[in-house]
Amino acid sequence: GYLMAESGGGSVQTGDSLNLSCTTIGFILEGSDMGWYREAPGNECELVGSIRADGDTRYSDSVKGRFTISRDNAKNTVYLGMTDLQPEDTAKYYCAAPGIAARSGRACNHWGQGTQVTVSS
């Protein structure tokens, strides 16, 4: 079964905002670094950003200043706040633990079903 449950995607217009959620299934979030990834048709899975167990965040250059990652350990949930969405943000979004994803070689389409974000111009 899946270890992550992503939700919150949808179809929006350029400049709109969305908030994605990722809830862990069967393991406690506290103490784990987590990452948000995305995969668009024809493109490779890419790391959008990550949040360490201590709350420190990092982002890819393509989303820096527009996306914000946060976490609520009590809810075992990580969030991805997305603003000023652009058509190039269209992809299926996934969450995963970066360390495990790197060792397994799998980040997208493996730990959870993902949530689709479609941005139209």
Side-chain angles (χ1 to χ4, degrees), residues 33 50-59 69-71:
D33 299 342
S50 61
I51 184 165
R52 291 168 51 105
D54 63 5
D56 181 53
T57 54
R58 306 253 174 118
Y59 302 94
I69 299 176
S70 59
R71 62 193 293 155

Side-chain angles (χ1 to χ4, degrees), residues 6-10 20-21 36-37 91-94 112-117:
E6 300 95 343
S7 62
L20 308 185
S21 299
W36 278 99
Y37 300 79
K92 201 158 194 180
Y93 285 72
Y94 302 86
Q113 291 185 307
T115 187
Q116 177 68 38
V117 172

